[in-house]
Amino acid sequence: MRYEKYGTLSNLPSYWRPRSQQSENHRMDEKAAMAGADLALFGELVLTGCDHNNLHAVSEAKDGPTAVAIATAAKDLGIAVIYGYSEIEKSDFYNSLMFIDKYGRCLANYRKVHICDAEQSVAGYKAGDAVTVVDWEKPKSGNVYRRRSMVLNGGAQFIAISAALSRLPQRHSTTVFVPARALENRCYIAHTDLAGEKFVGFTGLFDPLAQSHHSSDPNTSSEFMLTTEVPLDTFHDVPFHYHSHLRPAIYDAVIPYETEVPWNRQTEERTQEFFNHRADYYDRQMNGMYNAPSVAASSLSEVVNNKNGKLLDIATGTGLIGEALCKKGFKNLVALDRNKKMLEKAAAKKRLSPEEAAKLASGSFHACVCVGAFLTEAWLDPLVTVKEMSRLVECGGYLLLLWNATELEEANCEIVRKNLDAVLKEVVKRGECECLQFCNVPNYLEECEGTLCILKKK
């Protein structure tokens, strides 16, 4: 693997002015490119700074004019860029990082997951929902904060941290925590901070042995640029192997649900990895916050009189829906799920009988439920799922669908949302099903609303 280089810049006021208006200090992108750097890494909120009295005045959409200008410059100079900015989407604001490659393409737009109290209460930022791992040329690069998740689940070799650390309380954090994280995760970490009297201003690169390859003076407050090489091919086998001994079933239940929503899991392989990882602790993670199983079971029991009729639970996961249905008196349950490990957890509860979809005949079930199965395109396709549910349910039987409406409003889920809306309208319009109920569920999941739909097969 060839050496990768990165360039760093601590602050960037008026950075993307036309060349005729740029001062020498505002042309570090050109200097980094001329130095042979492949990547220019900038600080957190570098385009605006951190004092935001009016986010509307400083924020832009991820495809706004600044992003277009930076993409153009990156393409002209032949250098990739990671920069921090204040993002607006609809009426929400995010502390975001944009990753643009040397061809001017947006590889990722990361929204800061762990925001401090001031960012939320004073500035008004919302927290992002996922970590980001990017296939950038040969290495895999990650954008901050859940480091172990990016390395273990995403295969990240290089983590880029854009920071705006306050000088007084956090001046030692970069020289202690950053090398420690590089060591324990066995990957390279590049860290860059904003310049000025208020900020730590530390920039550096640490290898998987926690060694500093190149760093700035930790006491500096001046703007500067560093260039160095990241020899990824020299650390294939560092002498630390404790990751193979991790026991996520014991301690990963504390992982917040919102950090694991798989927005970037857009392939079957990545989706399976996601659920394989969660199977051991999913029940404990969702305990006390996931109300959808009880909502679905209660809603179905209100319209279904024959509790002995055969019932199909699609996307059963670890069987939480099935357990709730059993408590409501449903006795004959069959479970389907794409992930074998999750299905094994469901079968172990001895209340569900796993079967394969291909073996199920038309009209085999009195009722069919599908809860929490629609999100990104790598999950279930609603166009196929709803039609199959209708095929499998007998005449006079019931279809119940319940989904996370809050998450489905995300831009990554737009196609799934449109397909779901279209197929539900289609089966009703052509007289295949009658819609008995379609309503909001305010307590679907902690801080998330749901949508409930109950159909009756004609």
Side-chain angles (χ1 to χ4, degrees), residues 55 73 80 108 165 212 224 233 288 303 335 362 365 385 413 424 429 435 445:
L55 289 184
L165 299 178
S212 173
F224 57 88
D233 56 340
V303 297
S362 298
F365 299 92
T385 304
C413 307
L424 290 175
K429 184 177 181 180
C435 183
L445 184 71

Side-chain angles (χ1 to χ4, degrees), residues 148-167:
R148 185 167 65 82
S149 176
M150 289 188 294
V151 174
L152 289 181
N153 301 330
Q157 300 168 273
F158 169 73
I159 295 177
I161 300 179
S162 295
L165 299 178
S166 176
R167 175 168 288 274

Side-chain angles (χ1 to χ4, degrees), residues 368 386 389-390 393 397-401 433 453-455 457:
C368 183
V386 174
M389 291 174 68
S390 180
V393 169
Y398 301 87
L399 290 71
L400 182 146
L401 299 100
C433 296
C453 177
I454 300 179
L455 306 174
K457 180 75 174 292

Side-chain angles (χ1 to χ4, degrees), residues 24-41:
E24 186 65 22
N25 289 334
H26 297 150
R27 292 172 61 183
M28 290 189 182
D29 59 323
E30 296 184 28
K31 292 181 180 179
M34 291 175 64
D38 295 307
L39 171 64
L41 173 61

Side-chain angles (χ1 to χ4, degrees), residues 281-421:
Y281 61 85
Y282 180 78
D283 285 7
R284 286 183 293 147
Q285 182 189 52
M286 304 302 280
N287 185 38
M289 64 180 291
Y290 189 37
N291 301 304
S294 60
V295 171
S298 297
S299 299
L300 191 66
S301 65
E302 291 177 1
V303 297
V304 176
N305 295 320
N306 180 16
K307 299 294 179 66
N308 293 316
K310 200 172 182 181
L311 189 151
L312 177 64
D313 180 14
I314 293 178
T316 188
T318 59
L320 296 179
I321 310 300
E323 284 188 308
L325 290 166
C326 286
K327 290 178 182 179
K328 287 296 182 179
F330 293 96
K331 298 179 173 57
N332 193 359
L333 305 181
V334 174
L336 287 176
D337 200 275
R338 292 167 58 189
N339 183 263
K340 292 182 179 180
K341 194 170 182 180
M342 297 285 271
L343 192 57
E344 288 172 0
K345 297 291 182 180
K349 296 174 181 176
K350 299 180 180 179
R351 293 181 176 178
L352 301 171
S353 303
E355 291 189 17
E356 295 180 9
K359 298 179 181 179
L360 301 178
S362 298
S364 300
F365 299 92
H366 183 57
C368 183
V369 301
C370 183
V371 179
F374 304 123
L375 197 60
T376 67
E377 292 180 75
W379 288 26
L380 293 187
D381 181 354
L383 290 175
V384 176
T385 304
V386 174
K387 291 178 181 179
E388 275 296 286
M389 291 174 68
S390 180
R391 180 185 71 83
L392 293 170
V393 169
E394 64 187 1
C395 292
Y398 301 87
L399 290 71
L400 182 146
L401 299 100
L402 177 57
W403 60 89
N404 190 326
T406 300
E407 291 179 352
L408 212 58
E409 285 299 316
E410 293 290 333
N412 306 56
C413 307
E414 181 179 4
I415 294 177
V416 174
R417 184 174 66 250
K418 289 181 177 179
N419 287 346
L420 178 58
D421 182 62

Side-chain angles (χ1 to χ4, degrees), residues 21-312:
Q21 299 178 25
Q22 291 181 7
S23 69
E24 186 65 22
N25 289 334
H26 297 150
R27 292 172 61 183
M28 290 189 182
D29 59 323
E30 296 184 28
K31 292 181 180 179
M34 291 175 64
D38 295 307
L39 171 64
L41 173 61
F42 300 92
E44 180 179 354
L45 294 172
V46 67
L47 297 181
T48 60
C50 298
D51 296 327
H52 294 331
N53 296 319
N54 184 0
L55 289 184
H56 283 279
V58 299
S59 303
E60 289 189 12
K62 63 182 178 181
D63 56 352
T66 300
V68 173
I70 294 177
T72 300
K75 183 177 181 180
D76 290 343
L77 295 169
I79 186 172
V81 181
I82 296 178
Y83 66 93
Y85 74 109
S86 183
E87 179 189 359
I88 182 172
E89 182 180 72
K90 297 180 180 178
S91 59
D92 295 325
F93 298 95
Y94 301 92
N95 182 344
S96 300
L97 282 181
M98 180 72 78
F99 193 162
I100 294 175
D101 69 9
K102 65 181 180 181
Y103 304 106
R105 301 174 302 189
C106 174
L107 296 185
N109 185 60
Y110 167 78
R111 293 169 174 172
K112 189 174 180 180
V113 171
H114 298 131
I115 58 176
C116 66
D117 292 339
E119 288 177 298
Q120 185 172 18
S121 60
V122 179
Y125 285 118
K126 290 187 64 176
D129 295 311
V131 297
T132 303
V133 177
V134 179
D135 287 309
W136 173 54
E137 298 182 0
K138 291 186 179 179
K140 284 190 175 183
S141 304
N143 291 127
V144 291
Y145 296 116
R146 283 206 55 82
R147 298 173 183 86
R148 185 167 65 82
S149 176
M150 289 188 294
V151 174
L152 289 181
N153 301 330
Q157 300 168 273
F158 169 73
I159 295 177
I161 300 179
S162 295
L165 299 178
S166 176
R167 175 168 288 274
L168 291 177
Q170 298 173 309
R171 64 190 182 94
H172 296 302
S173 63
T174 52
T175 55
V176 177
F177 295 131
V178 177
R181 298 299 179 259
L183 176 70
E184 66 186 7
N185 290 294
R186 298 186 296 168
C187 69
Y188 280 87
I189 296 182
H191 179 281
T192 188
D193 195 7
L194 296 183
E197 294 296 332
K198 295 181 180 180
F199 302 102
V200 174
F202 177 81
T203 293
L205 173 72
F206 295 91
D207 68 24
L209 295 180
Q211 300 172 133
S212 173
H213 275 226
H214 197 24
S215 64
S216 65
D217 181 349
N219 297 313
T220 187
S221 61
S222 302
E223 186 177 273
F224 57 88
M225 184 183 81
L226 296 177
T227 59
T228 190
E229 294 181 338
V230 185
L232 298 175
D233 56 340
T234 62
F235 282 92
H236 285 307
D237 192 24
V238 295
F240 301 99
H241 305 283
Y242 59 84
H243 280 164
S244 61
H245 302 293
L246 293 176
R247 299 177 64 188
I250 294 177
Y251 44 76
D252 271 359
V254 299
I255 294 178
Y257 167 81
E258 58 269 18
T259 66
E260 291 200 314
V261 178
W263 307 117
N264 60 334
R265 308 281 175 148
Q266 297 289 1
T267 66
E268 174 67 17
E269 180 181 5
R270 297 291 303 282
T271 303
Q272 291 295 343
E273 289 176 356
F274 176 79
F275 286 109
N276 284 337
H277 176 63
R278 297 183 79 192
D280 289 327
Y281 61 85
Y282 180 78
D283 285 7
R284 286 183 293 147
Q285 182 189 52
M286 304 302 280
N287 185 38
M289 64 180 291
Y290 189 37
N291 301 304
S294 60
V295 171
S298 297
S299 299
L300 191 66
S301 65
E302 291 177 1
V303 297
V304 176
N305 295 320
N306 180 16
K307 299 294 179 66
N308 293 316
K310 200 172 182 181
L311 189 151
L312 177 64

